[in-house]
Amino acid sequence: MDLDALRQKMLFLGLSDGQLQAVSGAVRSRSFRAGEVVVRQGDLDDALYIVERGSVEMRAREQDEERVVAVFEKGSYVDESYAGDFFGEFSLVDLEPWSGTIAARERTTLLELKRDDLYELFSKDIDLQIGVVLNIARVLSRRLRIKNRRVAQKT
């Protein structure tokens, strides 16, 4: 994986070239056709995914209704989507089943980072761990702010 491409990902902002090189050995590129499912609601997946090209949507089924709850795509943040983003970070932390089904909206390329591979990187480099965890926290904070703005606009 190209270090310059990794350097542009929100998850890896601020990491050194050496750290990015270590990450590049753990990342796997996966391609999906439009409509193809990446992970299903209720699955116990053990990976985090980074949007490299295209977009995916997360659909959640609650009672008898299924709705789109998030869109992840490559690019910069806008209010309705988490662009240039990653998803699956909860599978690294809480080990719970996925709360929604993720499917490609168009031809999409995702970078997959398995939990065990990431934890191995963390065990070798505490600064890499701190950097990645802080980047996850920053993105989660930004997502919460976006959701709070939407709720405030509705009231």
Side-chain angles (χ1 to χ4, degrees):
M1 166 104 291
D2 178 30
L3 294 191
D4 287 332
L6 284 179
R7 189 175 285 108
Q8 301 303 313
K9 308 297 180 220
M10 287 184 280
L11 185 63
F12 306 126
L13 291 178
L15 297 186
S16 71
D17 286 351
Q19 291 167 328
L20 291 170
Q21 186 65 46
V23 168
S24 73
V27 172
R28 183 177 129 209
S29 182
R30 296 188 57 202
S31 295
F32 296 87
R33 296 178 313 277
E36 190 173 355
V37 171
V38 177
V39 64
R40 294 194 185 283
Q41 185 170 349
D43 285 354
L44 288 171
D45 192 40
D46 66 344
L48 177 143
Y49 299 90
I50 304 159
V51 179
E52 177 68 13
R53 182 181 61 139
S55 62
V56 297
E57 65 185 19
M58 180 180 202
R59 296 184 149 280
R61 178 166 292 288
E62 296 171 1
Q63 289 132 12
D64 290 331
E65 182 184 348
E66 184 176 82
R67 62 186 179 89
V68 174
V69 295
V71 174
F72 302 91
E73 59 190 3
K74 186 175 186 210
S76 60
Y77 266 93
V78 292
D79 280 352
E80 290 300 315
S81 67
Y82 307 116
D85 209 350
F86 55 85
F87 58 92
E89 67 282 354
F90 289 170
S91 69
L92 302 177
V93 178
D94 67 13
L95 312 177
E96 293 290 324
W98 279 66
S99 58
T101 295
I102 303 281
R105 300 173 77 202
E106 59 195 293
R107 187 169 184 78
T108 298
T109 302
L110 302 175
L111 303 179
E112 180 184 66
L113 184 55
K114 294 287 193 177
R115 178 178 49 236
D116 289 346
D117 294 334
L118 185 60
Y119 284 4
E120 184 175 334
L121 292 172
F122 286 173
S123 73
K124 294 176 181 175
D125 186 341
I126 189 71
D127 291 332
L128 181 136
Q129 179 180 9
I130 291 168
V132 169
V133 170
L134 281 174
N135 287 334
I136 289 173
R138 287 180 183 115
V139 168
L140 292 177
S141 176
R142 189 176 296 172
R143 288 179 187 171
L144 184 57
R145 273 195 225 99
I146 290 169
K147 291 286 187 188
N148 287 345
R149 263 198 314 262
R150 280 199 224 148
V151 169
Q153 290 171 351
K154 289 180 182 180
T155 57

